[in-house]
Every structure is written in C-alpha cells, then in structure tokens.
Amino acid sequence: MTAAVTRISEDDGLRHDWTPAEVEALFALPFMDLLHQAHLLHRTHFDPNRIQISRLLSIKTGGCPEDCSYCPQSAHHATGLEREKLLAVEEVIAAAAKAKEDGASRFCMGAAWRGPKGDDFQVALAMIEGVKGLGLETCASFGLLSREQARQLKEAGLDYYNHNLDTSPEHYGEIVHTRTFQDRLDTIEHVQDAGLHVCSGGIVGLGEQARDRAAMLIALANLPHHPDSVPINLLIPIPGPPLAETARPDPVDFVRTIAVARVMMPKSFVRLSAGREGMTPEMQALCFFAGANSVFCGEKLLTARNASPQQDKGLFERLGLRPL
Ligand code: SAM
Ligand code: DTB
Ligand code: SF4
C-alpha cells in the first residue's frame, strides 16, 4: 500500500485520513461556501495580511533526462531552451544576496536533474552552505534523492526540499514516463526522515479531472506530516512540451484548488506558485482570500517569466499584504 492511501492519524491535531468522497464534496461546494470555510480556517492559523516571499534560481538549466510533459527543461521536448552548465557557487551566492536585498526570506535552487550526482552534488552542497551563511532560509529542488543524499543536504544547512507530486497517482503515468508516483513518495519519505521541511504540491492544467485534483491533495494531506509548504502551480504552457496545447483550466477551478488545499492542510503555507504572470490582480486577490499565503517574487521563475516585481509591489500595497 502506498503512503498516498495509507490512513495515518498523527497526534498533530490535523487530519491525515481524507477520503475521495469528502474531498470531491469540498470541490463541489458552492464557491462562496468553500471560500468562506477556507478563509475562516486561514484566519485561525495565519495572519491573513502577511505573505511569505521566496525567490527561485535555476542552478542547472535544460537538458533534463526526464520526460515530464509539462516541462520546458526536458531533453525529450524541442523547446528551444539552451542547455546550460551548473552555475558557479559564487554566482549563486551573489544572486541570493540580491534576493535578500529585494525582501525574499527563502532562496530556492532548482536543477534540471533526475536527481543529483557526483561532483555536481558536492558543488550544490557548497551553494547551500553559502546561501545559508547569508541568513536566508534555503530550499532545493534537485529531483529524486536517496536517504543518504537527503541527510547530506540537511547537514549542509538545507531547510526545505521541494518535490512536487504534480498530479494524482492515477493521472501521473499520462504525464511522466521516466519515473513513477511511488518514486516521488519515496523521496518525500527520505526528506521527512532526514528532518528537512517538505515543500510539495502540484500543477493545475495538466488535462486532469476534478477527481485528480482531489486525489493529488489527498496524497499530500495523507502523508505522515502535511508538507510545510504546498505550491499550487498553474501550468505555464511553453511551446514544445506536449501539454502546451492543453485547454487552460477555468480560473474559478484554480481558486477552488487553493481553497481545498487550505481546508485540508490548514497549517501549511499554500503557495500561489507558477502562472501568476498571466493572472489578473483580482484573480490573485481571490487566491489570497482562499488561503494562499506565499509567492515567488522576481523577474523569473526557473526559465519562465514571473509576475513583474513592480506590479507585485503595487498589488501587495493595494491589498495591504506585508511580507513575513
Ligand atoms: N527536476 C526537479 C523535479 O522535477 O523535481 C526540480 C525542478 S522541476 C522544474 C520543479 C517543478 O516545476 C515541477 O515539479 C513542476 O511542478 C514545476 N513546473 C515545471 N514546468 C512547469 C510549467 N511549465 N508550469 C508550471 N509548473 C512547472
Ligand atoms: C514549484 O512548485 N514551482 C517552481 C518550484 N517549485 C521549483 C518551479 C516553477 C517552474 C515554472 C516553469 C519554469 O520557470 O521553467
Ligand atoms: Fe526535469 Fe524536473 Fe523538468 Fe521533469 S520537471 S523534466 S525532472 S527539470
């Protein structure tokens, strides 16, 4: 039995036994009822006027051996993206210092790897030590990890590890063929066992059904511990990957996904993650009302454009949202 369907009742006052019927019923609630419930829970556990700000940097771009249908960095799709070498430690530390100046509290390093290997992993460990030395929270997204690699990351000063489930166990095989959903769960287990904070969420817009969104959130909430941070990405349709032509999801359904994540994982940070660039200020405000309380700021995500820093500044001022 996989962790996705294991019912674990931890004594943390949080639920780890969500059923598909319950979660599908949450998705089917009238929008106002769902938002009301999500917002009340949000206020119980968080200051609704504060958001956590992270900054992303791609430390190794393109040429990834995995075939994730959504990703511009996969070597399997002709995206026109240049394959780059691993950045130098000093470049990463300089970018992190700039992110700190710009108000980020966490610096997330992403790599187009199936998982870290050999000398590159040693360099990545040095990056983490250096960024941690600046007084920032550190996050890494390096793909699949062994138990030992998770331990070494913790020792280097890593705070968070990002490893998304991305979609439901049932839909996963349609989206990625070079690894399994269980591989992802195994890495999350290694990360949790190493004492690292887990950042794990998924993507809306992969041609999934409402029941897949429910199943993905169940897989996250029924883990032994809720992820500390739950990024909800809206697919950025980049020409090249097979999903580029998929119809864009209904924005109302996207907001519902944020709200249901908030209800199921009331103490986790829910991040309005990739895809903000194309969202109106009103849509983002609805997402924050529904329980999103974290974003990526900065011109760029990993390879794609992000919401502009000037627009973000204006939006947060208009909404009275202050960085944590
Ligand atoms: N290679 C590592 C991995 O797959 O875990 C880390 C980097 S990978 C780019 C990190 C995450 O980016 C993916 O899990 C996925 O959720 C997100 N992502 C990739 N391409 C995206 C796209 N076009 N739109 C939205 N999110 C995307
Ligand atoms: C996450 O959930 N989203 C981020 C981060 N974790 C690593 C990545 C978004 C990538 C968007 C596409 C790109 O920039 O290439
Ligand atoms: Fe590689 Fe990660 Fe992109 Fe998949 S999502 S192709 S593993 S960089």
Side-chain angles (χ1 to χ4, degrees):
M1 192 188 271
T2 68
V5 292
T6 306
R7 291 191 176 199
I8 300 160
S9 280
E10 283 257 321
D11 193 17
D12 59 5
L14 298 169
R15 286 194 53 190
H16 300 268
D17 61 354
W18 291 94
T19 65
E22 282 176 309
V23 179
E24 285 168 28
L26 282 175
F27 271 98
L29 278 174
F31 188 67
M32 303 308 158
D33 291 347
L34 174 60
L35 255 65
H36 180 67
Q37 200 182 128
H39 188 71
L40 278 182
L41 266 170
H42 188 47
R43 283 187 170 264
T44 306
H45 298 290
F46 292 98
D47 177 342
N49 303 313
R50 307 289 296 267
I51 49 170
Q52 188 274 327
I53 296 183
S54 291
R55 179 67 173 264
L56 267 175
L57 178 70
S58 177
I59 62 159
K60 161 70 184 79
T61 303
C64 184
E66 301 285 79
D67 76 345
C68 314
S69 318
Y70 45 81
C71 185
Q73 303 203 66
S74 166
H76 297 255
H77 323 307
T79 60
L81 190 78
E82 290 270 331
R83 180 195 185 121
E84 291 172 21
K85 287 203 317 251
L86 182 63
L87 296 183
V89 175
E90 305 71 50
E91 284 178 89
V92 174
I93 294 173
K98 169 80 174 52
K100 189 178 176 188
E101 249 176 60
D102 292 345
S105 62
R106 189 177 308 159
F107 192 70
C108 309
M109 292 155 271
W113 291 331
R114 172 175 166 82
K117 284 197 297 226
D119 289 349
D120 283 356
F121 186 47
Q122 300 309 315
V123 175
L125 291 173
M127 291 173 183
I128 291 162
E129 273 175 38
V131 174
K132 184 74 181 167
L134 298 174
L136 279 162
E137 287 183 325
T138 51
C139 177
S141 188
F142 295 163
L144 302 172
L145 292 183
S146 67
R147 212 168 262 289
E148 174 58 15
Q149 286 175 323
R151 196 194 59 73
Q152 286 177 274
L153 286 167
K154 172 79 181 169
E155 211 173 83
L158 190 69
D159 297 303
Y160 287 79
Y161 194 75
N162 165 252
H163 200 65
N164 292 337
L165 293 181
D166 284 319
T167 191
S168 67
E170 295 75 21
H171 195 51
Y172 202 78
E174 303 284 317
I175 302 297
V176 183
H177 312 96
T178 47
R179 56 169 190 260
T180 64
F181 194 80
Q182 187 60 47
D183 290 332
R184 296 299 269 190
L185 291 173
D186 290 347
T187 288
I188 292 177
E189 185 184 315
H190 299 156
V191 168
Q192 281 184 331
D193 289 353
L196 290 162
H197 294 293
V198 171
C199 169
S200 186
I203 306 180
V204 175
L206 299 177
E208 73 283 352
Q209 306 294 313
R211 65 170 179 277
D212 293 304
R213 290 177 195 148
M216 178 185 84
L217 293 178
I218 290 172
L220 292 166
N222 289 1
L223 287 167
H225 305 280
H226 290 175
D228 301 274
S229 167
V230 180
I232 304 293
N233 296 278
L234 176 64
L235 177 74
I236 302 180
I238 296 160
L243 283 166
E245 303 303 321
T246 305
R248 280 182 82 68
D250 177 353
V252 169
D253 289 341
F254 183 85
V255 180
R256 278 184 193 279
T257 309
I258 299 259
V260 174
R262 169 53 66 227
V263 171
M264 294 173 72
M265 294 169 277
K267 292 188 182 174
S268 303
F269 280 84
V270 174
R271 182 173 306 123
L272 176 54
S273 193
R276 274 197 315 118
E277 204 240 335
M279 287 180 200
T280 62
E282 302 89 302
M283 162 99 169
Q284 294 188 56
L286 257 187
C287 290
F288 297 133
F289 186 80
N293 58 350
S294 168
V295 288
F296 287 119
C297 281
E299 300 282 349
K300 227 174 164 189
L301 293 164
L302 291 175
T303 67
R305 240 186 27 212
N306 192 17
S308 93
Q310 291 77 4
Q311 278 174 13
D312 275 354
K313 191 167 174 285
L315 177 63
F316 301 156
E317 273 172 17
R318 283 159 78 196
L319 299 177
L321 280 176
R322 286 175 298 117
L324 266 180

